[in-house]
């Protein structure tokens, strides 16, 4: 919701109208009633985490609810897909609802690849037997013989209720366990499942996009994200604008449907601004020849970042970039409810995929020089102090007398 | 309303010229702070304002205006402001922009607009000359309206608001690439057409050398004045920085961060 926090529930105003005194303890409990959200420090916007902590920091704390994050895909779409999966995994952990749309592979495939959360700080009682219990039907509970004392206790469903924290860490080397994943309510939109007839008449929008927008609208209306719901809908739209969506932006210089994607994004913005939803859209921008069009697409989303991976490029072997897997460009920062936008302090950013974690860092000169220097000097220190006391100069250390 | 910009443009809420057609163009940056400036300026000048907010929601404009000391909700209730929220109206640009123009005309020419605000405390308040503000004509292009149609629309608006009603028009246009790129026929073409009609242009650009924390961009102000049967233009270049509640303008290279 693009409205400031007041739209979500302003405790200050409401309580002061009830009680006559103006001395009120400022409670933030109502603001934080939606798990996984927090108000922005700058403008009071309700934020959600992208799942990548360093990306949250870059975007000024997180993604504003009601906003669209555009990710310009890298070649081969491996890292942009990673961010999308992080975003969805964060939704699962925070028990937000998900909406996943894809034209390429089934949304369920994306959901199955979600990274596994690292829940070290959140104390979850997780007995080993639990997966077996939850997977078995209800009647197996009645036949409990040994643990009969626990029979009447309510079944522990809420494995993740305690994780109202903002942002989590994930282990990308493992995929999320199925029962965690299935606990989240997920709406899928798979384009091949939606039969479409080609519209012969001129229309600025494409059948596939309008079907997607309609399906989104239905979900938002049915689940009440436009008003009464106290939950967030996370929308992940994969590879919009690719030819699999029936769009010809990527394949020709003068596409027929120039305005299809921009019209869709405008509709998406209109939809999100009035509901508790947040979207991440990836677009294969390197395939789109028309730069002006890409600029317009970025303009219609709130935040736009571009990933440029080194895979297959000559930069892969460049010693400057040896610690990184690609560069991250911030194309656009959001202007929401404020005049001055929050620019990141630094614009030279690079990302890397460690064994377990995807992270974004400031690009700096390779530290090998300083590191070896410091390491050598540290090694010298104990010997040098002994030598210095004897000879008065540490350079004499290698002398043999 | 930024006081520094007022003195640069030599307009003040109690003394401003009428029949102005102002174009703001933005390139590689965001010039919406100027739209907020003009919105708060004309509301303070007690003009009747018609705002076509196509880019953001009303709550956004309201939140920013409150920081600048203007309450849009009150202005709307009083009938001073007529706000079209493009995101809420389902704009169908394939039918052309006639409906949009009808909306502009009716809200600018009526004594108190289509809201028909009959003030409870006696008759409707009197407002000054009408002002039309458009936040990003580029959205219309993105929605598939042709350049010609947008040019027609802006010409009709200028004829109605500037010439007939002696009001002002301020329009923002986002252009994407470099001027000489020639890639974006749409926005460039539109900008040329609009620059031809207008009396004042504010070209806002990001710095050519890239992003800087203390200077957010530069603004070129071009006046076109008809004086004594000859037309002359006057250009001035400023750099600017947007703050939380305003913006500061300074000559090139004289940012307080460096001096």
């Amino acid at each position: 919701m693009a409205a400031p926090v007041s739209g979500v529930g302003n405790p200050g105003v409401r309580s002061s109208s009830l009680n006559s005194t103006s001395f009120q303890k400022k409670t933030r409990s109502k603001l934080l009633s939606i798990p996984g959200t927090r108000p922005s420090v700058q403008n009071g916007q309700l934020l959600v985490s992208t799942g990548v902590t360093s990306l949250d920091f870059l975007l000024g704390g997180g993604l504003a609810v009601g906003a669209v994050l555009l990710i310009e895909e890298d070649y081969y779409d491996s890292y942009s897909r990673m961010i999308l999966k992080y975003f969805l995994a964060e939704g699962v952990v925070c028990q937000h609802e998900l909406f996943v749309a894809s034209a390429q592979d089934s949304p369920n495939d994306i959901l199955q690849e979600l990274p596994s959360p690292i829940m070290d700080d959140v104390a979850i009682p997780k007995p080993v037997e639990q997966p077996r219990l939850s997977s078995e039907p209800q009647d197996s509970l009645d036949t409990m013989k040994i643990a009969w004392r626990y029979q009447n206790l309510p079944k522990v469903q809420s494995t993740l209720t305690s994780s109202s924290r903002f942002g989590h860490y994930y282990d990308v080397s493992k995929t999320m366990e199925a029962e965690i994943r299935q606990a989240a309510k997920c709406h899928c939109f798979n384009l091949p499942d939606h039969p479409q007839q080609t519209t012969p008449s001129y229309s600025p929008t494409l059948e596939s996009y309008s079907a997607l927008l309609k399906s989104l609208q239905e979900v938002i209306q049915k689940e009440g994200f436009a008003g009464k719901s106290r939950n967030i809908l996370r929308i992940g739209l994969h590879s919009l604008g690719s030819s699999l969506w029936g769009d010809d932006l990527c394949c020709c210089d003068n596409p027929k449907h120039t305005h299809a994607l921009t019209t869709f994004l405008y509709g998406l913005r209109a939809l999100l601004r009035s509901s508790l939803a947040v979207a991440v859209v990836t677009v294969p921008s390197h395939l789109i020849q028309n730069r002006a069009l890409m600029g317009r697409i970025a303009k219609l989303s709130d935040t736009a970042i571009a990933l440029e991976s080194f895979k297959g490029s000559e930069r892969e072997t460049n010693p400057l970039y040896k610690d990184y897997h690609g560069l991250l460009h911030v194309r656009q920062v959001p202007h929401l409810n404020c005049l001055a936008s929050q620019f990141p302090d630094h614009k030279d950013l690079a990302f890397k995929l460690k064994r377990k974690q995807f992270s974004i860092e400031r690009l700096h000169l390779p530290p090998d020089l300083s590191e070896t220097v410091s390491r050598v000097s540290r090694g010298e220190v104990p010997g040098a102090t002994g030598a210095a006391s004897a000879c008065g100069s540490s350079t004499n250390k290698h002398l043999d007398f | 309303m930024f006081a520094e910009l007022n003195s640069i443009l030599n307009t003040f809420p109690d003394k401003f010229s009428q029949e102005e057609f102002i174009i703001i163009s933005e390139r590689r940056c965001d010039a919406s702070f100027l739209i907020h400036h003009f919105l708060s300026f004309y509301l303070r000048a007690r003009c009747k304002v018609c705002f076509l907010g196509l880019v953001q929601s009303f709550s956004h404009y309201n939140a920013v205006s409150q920081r600048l000391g203007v309450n849009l909700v009150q202005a709307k209730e009083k009938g001073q402001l007529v706000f079209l929220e493009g995101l809420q109206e389902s704009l169908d640009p394939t039918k052309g922009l006639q409906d949009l123009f009808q909306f502009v005309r009716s809200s600018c020419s009526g004594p108190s607009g289509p809201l028909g605000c009959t003030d409870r405390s006696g008759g409707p308040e009197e407002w000054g000359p009408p002002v039309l503000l458009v936040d990003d004509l580029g959205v219309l292009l993105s929605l598939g309206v042709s350049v010609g149609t947008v040019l027609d629309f802006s010409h009709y608006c200028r004829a109605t608001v500037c010439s007939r009603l002696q009001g002002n028009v301020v329009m923002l246009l986002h252009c994407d690439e470099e001027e000489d790129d020639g890639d974006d026929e749409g926005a460039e073409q539109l900008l040329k057409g609009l620059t031809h009609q207008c009396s004042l242009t504010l070209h806002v650009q990001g710095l050519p050398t890239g992003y800087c924390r203390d200077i957010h961009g530069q603004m070129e102000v071009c006046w076109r004045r008809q004086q004594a049967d000859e037309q002359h233009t006057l250009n001035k270049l400023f750099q600017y920085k947007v703050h939380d509640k305003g913006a500061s303008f300074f000559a090139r290279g004289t940012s307080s961060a460096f001096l």
Side-chain angles (χ1 to χ4, degrees):
Chain A
M1 193 177 287
V5 190
S6 61
V8 186
N10 195 334
V13 173
R14 205 168 296 159
S15 52
S16 65
S17 63
L18 290 177
N19 308 33
S20 53
T21 172
S22 61
F23 293 105
Q24 293 280 329
K25 191 179 173 193
K26 199 170 181 184
T27 49
R28 315 203 79 162
S29 58
K30 249 186 183 169
L31 289 177
L32 293 170
S33 62
I34 305 175
T37 64
R38 72 169 174 209
S40 157
V41 192
Q42 280 101 28
N43 47 13
Q45 204 92 47
L46 196 68
L47 299 179
V48 296
S49 170
T50 55
V52 186
T53 321
S54 43
L55 184 61
D56 285 342
F57 176 71
L58 186 71
L59 302 176
L63 273 180
V65 174
V68 181
L69 167 67
L70 178 83
I71 302 173
E72 297 185 17
E73 289 174 11
D74 52 320
Y75 297 112
Y76 314 122
D77 181 33
S78 45
Y79 299 106
S80 48
R81 196 183 164 103
M82 180 76 73
I83 296 184
L84 183 67
K85 284 188 286 194
Y86 263 107
F87 171 75
L88 295 172
E90 178 69 24
V92 172
V93 172
C94 296
Q95 296 188 322
H96 297 161
E97 285 191 31
L98 305 183
F99 183 99
V100 190
S102 170
Q104 195 175 345
D105 29 34
S106 153
N108 282 320
D109 291 354
I110 297 179
L111 286 171
Q112 268 161 21
E113 296 167 4
L114 295 185
S116 151
I118 302 171
M119 305 294 232
D120 47 353
D121 56 335
V122 188
I124 306 169
K126 216 176 185 185
V128 189
E129 287 87 2
Q130 205 207 343
R132 198 158 48 85
L133 278 181
S134 59
S135 61
E136 277 167 11
Q138 189 71 28
D139 57 302
S140 69
L141 279 172
D142 299 337
T143 59
M144 247 196 277
K145 287 288 181 280
I146 302 166
W148 54 271
R149 286 185 55 164
Y150 303 109
Q151 199 164 330
N152 294 328
L153 288 178
K155 207 168 135 191
V156 181
Q157 266 274 357
S158 52
T159 5
L160 301 167
T161 38
S162 52
S163 65
S164 55
R165 213 187 63 200
F166 189 85
H168 295 82
Y169 291 94
Y170 296 90
D171 182 353
V172 287
S173 61
K174 285 186 250 167
T175 53
M176 192 181 276
E177 288 162 52
E179 80 260 18
I180 303 179
R181 203 178 64 228
Q182 277 149 14
K185 202 167 175 189
C186 184
H187 310 270
C188 294
F189 180 92
N190 194 13
L191 186 65
D193 297 346
H194 290 255
Q196 35 188 316
Q197 49 277 63
T198 45
T199 39
S201 63
Y202 169 75
S203 145
T205 173
L206 273 172
E207 191 81 13
S208 53
Y209 291 146
S210 44
L212 175 58
L213 201 60
K214 219 173 112 200
S215 147
L216 259 173
Q217 218 159 3
E218 272 167 17
V219 168
I220 285 178
Q221 251 163 27
K222 205 172 71 197
E223 307 288 336
F225 289 106
K228 52 183 190 293
S229 172
R230 304 299 274 166
N231 205 352
I232 305 279
L233 178 70
R234 285 184 181 239
I235 303 166
L237 309 177
H238 182 244
S239 249
L240 279 192
S242 75
S243 43
L244 287 169
W245 282 98
D247 212 332
D248 53 357
L249 291 178
C250 297
C251 28
C252 39
D253 277 346
N254 290 313
K256 241 187 331 179
H257 306 289
T258 334
H259 308 294
L261 187 52
T262 46
T263 310
F264 169 76
L265 284 173
Y266 193 73
L268 181 66
R269 169 180 280 196
L271 204 58
L272 292 192
R273 285 292 197 264
S274 56
S275 52
L276 283 173
V278 55
V280 167
V281 178
T282 72
V283 171
S285 66
H286 55 277
L287 297 176
I288 297 177
Q289 300 299 320
N290 192 339
R291 295 321 297 168
L293 187 63
M294 203 50 229
R296 243 183 256 163
I297 290 170
K299 185 78 191 157
L300 281 173
S301 47
D302 296 288
T303 319
I305 59 171
L307 301 179
E308 181 188 351
S309 80
F310 298 145
K311 229 184 253 177
S313 83
E314 58 184 10
R315 282 174 170 172
E316 199 174 11
T317 52
N318 190 331
L320 174 62
Y321 301 123
K322 73 180 167 91
D323 289 338
Y324 304 107
H325 288 106
L327 298 178
L328 183 134
H329 307 282
V330 179
R331 294 261 192 262
Q332 187 173 288
V333 286
H335 287 260
L336 287 170
N337 297 335
C338 58
L339 204 58
S341 52
Q342 191 66 33
F343 274 100
D345 291 340
H346 220 262
K347 281 232 157 166
D348 299 319
L349 298 158
F351 62 85
K352 64 176 161 192
L353 183 63
K354 289 183 266 189
R355 200 164 60 84
K356 292 187 169 179
Q357 192 192 0
F358 177 86
S359 69
I360 297 161
E361 293 175 5
R362 276 170 61 168
L363 181 66
H364 51 75
L365 286 173
D368 56 347
L369 186 70
S370 60
E371 210 175 348
T372 48
V373 164
S374 67
R375 202 168 290 156
V376 166
S377 66
R378 201 180 301 142
E380 268 175 2
V381 165
T385 47
S389 62
C391 319
S393 165
S394 62
T395 49
N396 296 344
K397 191 192 160 233
H398 298 296
L399 295 178
D400 263 344
F401 61 86
Chain B
M1 190 174 74
F2 316 141
E4 278 182 61
L5 187 59
N6 283 345
S7 52
I8 288 171
L9 300 178
N10 198 22
T11 55
F12 302 95
D14 46 353
K15 180 179 79 69
F16 62 94
S17 50
Q18 294 181 356
E19 298 186 46
E20 292 259 18
F21 184 37
I22 303 172
I23 294 296
I24 307 165
S25 75
E26 59 174 23
R27 226 182 270 280
R28 285 176 289 134
C29 68
D30 193 287
S32 58
F33 67 100
L34 289 176
I35 277 289
H36 292 293
H37 160 78
F38 283 111
L39 179 59
S40 56
F41 177 88
Y42 286 119
L43 284 177
R44 287 214 184 148
R46 300 188 59 78
C47 288
K48 163 112 191 151
V49 177
C50 172
F51 193 99
L52 305 185
L54 306 177
V55 181
Q56 298 281 9
S57 58
F58 176 74
S59 64
H60 165 82
Y61 292 110
N62 190 30
V64 178
S65 297
Q66 260 174 4
R67 288 181 180 223
L68 298 178
V70 180
N71 192 333
L72 294 193
V73 178
Q74 271 178 17
K76 231 163 109 173
E77 280 168 1
K78 284 192 290 187
Q80 187 187 5
L81 172 71
V82 182
F83 193 96
L84 179 93
E85 192 173 350
L87 290 170
Q88 294 289 318
E89 310 289 318
S90 47
L91 292 175
D92 190 4
T94 44
K95 288 186 202 141
L97 299 172
Q98 264 126 21
D99 293 348
L100 202 57
F101 173 67
Q102 288 301 336
F103 176 82
V104 169
R105 190 164 66 172
S106 63
S107 50
C108 283
S109 54
S112 61
L115 287 181
C117 182
T118 47
D119 215 322
R120 272 162 252 115
S121 58
E125 282 191 69
E126 281 295 312
W127 303 113
V131 173
L132 171 68
L133 293 158
V134 184
D135 190 6
D136 214 349
L137 285 174
V139 168
L140 294 176
L141 294 181
S142 297
L143 290 176
V145 185
S146 69
V147 175
T149 316
V150 180
L151 270 178
D152 285 348
F153 171 70
S154 62
H155 179 74
Y156 271 80
C157 288
R158 184 174 74 107
T160 311
V161 181
C162 293
S163 307
R164 201 156 63 78
L165 302 167
Q166 271 102 45
N168 290 350
V169 175
V170 182
M171 287 180 176
L172 174 76
L173 177 63
H174 176 81
C175 305
D176 290 303
E177 291 298 312
E178 295 305 311
E179 280 163 278
D180 50 351
D181 207 14
D183 202 13
D184 188 17
E185 304 92 4
E188 287 307 321
Q189 223 178 332
L190 181 58
L191 180 62
K192 276 184 192 143
L194 290 172
T195 318
H196 182 68
Q197 299 178 9
C198 72
S199 56
L200 170 66
T201 13
L202 305 170
H203 293 291
V204 185
Q205 286 191 7
L207 285 183
T209 47
Y211 163 73
C212 169
R213 199 191 314 177
D214 296 303
I215 304 170
H216 291 159
Q218 61 186 30
M219 179 180 77
E220 192 181 4
V221 188
C222 308
W223 285 274
R224 288 174 45 187
R225 291 227 172 86
Q226 206 95 37
Q227 280 178 349
D229 287 343
E230 64 170 318
Q231 201 170 42
H232 68 155
T233 57
L234 179 65
N235 290 14
K236 272 188 189 172
L237 191 65
F238 297 93
Q239 290 179 333
Y240 69 88
K241 180 181 180 182
V242 183
H243 305 290
D244 215 21
K245 287 186 176 173
S248 57
F249 297 84
F250 37 85
R252 263 190 296 182
T254 61
S255 163
S256 57
F258 306 133
L259 294 181

